[in-house]
Each structure stands twice: as structure tokens, then as C-alpha cells.
Amino acid sequence: MMNKNVETALNKQVQKEEFSSRLYLAMAIWCEVNGYPGAAAFLYEHTNEERMHQMKMIHYTNERGGKAALFELEAPKADFDSLEDVFSQVLAHEEFITNSINTLYGLTVAEKDYTTGNFLQWYITEQVEEESTMRTILDKIKLVGKDKAGMFHIDKELEAMAQSSTAGTA
Ligand code: FEO
């Protein structure tokens, strides 16, 4: 049987991954109706990635003799000031998730559940990548400021990133 404290903590992380998926969905919707189709495509794609993070954890919990549980989710924010606002909130959210994964990893060490600790390595690596991707995008957005042509270019770049991500195995 899976350690109860670890099982509860994994389920709370599942809830956070599910919320991440909804948060990026809300952001994608905002981008789509505010003239950023590329950013919308990128965030719609990212919604699917978060769903995958959630599913991977659910299957792990069930396969290890635990039972995944779903909790209530609060509605994500629906309105944003700008594309820069969207991506600064994405980055802040990813930093929050990184902290949460690290705390979860710490718990597996304290509980001597090394198998789950090993499973979480994938998430630790994934968070490094996600933070780095989001930080790069935010830096670019900040760099172009209010320049419309620059913003158009960034939106195209995000569209290309969404397409290459869909074509990949992730
Ligand atoms: Fe599941 Fe973007 O972290």
C-alpha cells in the first residue's frame, strides 16, 4: 500500500496540475479574443500538457496501490491587462508549482518513499524546462514593449512553438 501522507500529497498535487490546465485555458481564451492567436494556440497546447501532468500522477498513484482523488477547483481568473500580464502570471504560477513539487519530493524523502521520490524526478526536470521556456517568452514580450510589429512577431513565434509541441511526443 502507498504511504497515506504521500498519497494525500500526490492528490493535492493532482489538483494543482488540474488547476494549471484550467488557468492556461482561461488565458488561452483571453488571448484568442484579444488578437493573439499564436499565444492562444501556445496556451491551448499547454493546457493539454498540464492535463498530461495530472494524468501521469493519477496513474502512478493508482498503480502503486493508492487511489487518486479529485477535489473542487476554484474558477481561474478570466481577465488580464496585457500579454505581458498573462505571461508574468504563467511564470509566477510555474514557480509556485516548482515549489510545490519540491515540497512533495521533500515529503517522500522524510517518509522514505524512494520510489515516489524517483517518480517525481521527471516533474523536477520538467519544471526546470517550463520555467525556462516561460521566462524566455516573458523576456521577449518585455523587450518589444508596445511595439506592434514586435508583438506580431512574438505571437507568430508562439504559434510555431505550439505547432512543434503538437508534433512532438509530449
Ligand atoms: Fe505541470 Fe506547468 O507544471
Side-chain angles (χ1 to χ4, degrees):
M1 280 302 277
M2 181 178 254
N3 175 304
K4 269 289 161 198
N5 291 338
V6 171
E7 179 182 333
T8 303
L10 279 168
N11 282 333
K12 285 185 180 157
Q13 187 64 38
V14 162
Q15 181 186 28
K16 288 181 185 133
E17 300 295 337
E18 193 176 11
F19 179 77
S20 305
S21 185
R22 286 196 86 194
L23 175 66
Y24 298 152
L25 187 56
M27 289 172 169
I29 292 168
W30 184 89
C31 289
E32 192 162 43
V33 300
N34 280 281
Y36 299 112
F42 177 85
L43 288 163
Y44 279 129
E45 175 53 32
H46 214 74
T47 291
N48 294 338
E49 277 196 33
E50 297 302 344
R51 172 82 173 168
M52 183 270 282
H53 295 173
Q54 181 198 355
M55 294 305 291
K56 198 178 171 79
M57 213 165 259
I58 286 174
H59 291 314
Y60 174 80
T61 302
N62 290 344
E63 278 160 18
R64 293 285 304 159
K67 183 175 181 290
L70 298 177
F71 304 125
E72 202 168 337
L73 291 179
E74 56 177 293
K77 214 179 135 164
D79 286 304
F80 303 89
D81 297 337
S82 60
L83 196 63
E84 180 177 333
D85 182 33
V86 168
F87 277 90
S88 27
Q89 291 196 38
V90 171
L91 180 58
H93 186 72
E94 286 301 331
E95 286 168 348
F96 162 74
I97 294 293
T98 300
N99 273 333
S100 178
I101 296 281
N102 288 344
T103 303
L104 181 51
Y105 180 77
L107 176 74
T108 64
V109 174
E111 298 284 348
K112 296 188 167 49
D113 180 352
Y114 301 115
T115 310
T116 302
N118 194 43
F119 166 74
L120 289 174
Q121 291 297 332
W122 183 88
Y123 287 85
I124 291 170
T125 309
E126 180 74 4
Q127 282 313 118
V128 173
E129 265 180 48
E130 296 222 327
E131 275 193 35
S132 152
T133 304
M134 300 314 175
R135 198 170 287 118
T136 305
I137 295 168
L138 181 60
D139 285 348
K140 283 186 185 177
I141 294 172
K142 281 182 177 167
L143 202 66
V144 302
K146 294 197 185 312
D147 180 64
K148 286 220 163 72
M151 216 38 134
F152 181 79
H153 183 76
I154 285 176
D155 195 60
K156 283 279 166 215
E157 220 176 294
L158 286 168
E159 187 161 36
M161 284 170 81
Q163 279 166 358
S164 70
S165 182
T166 313
T169 50

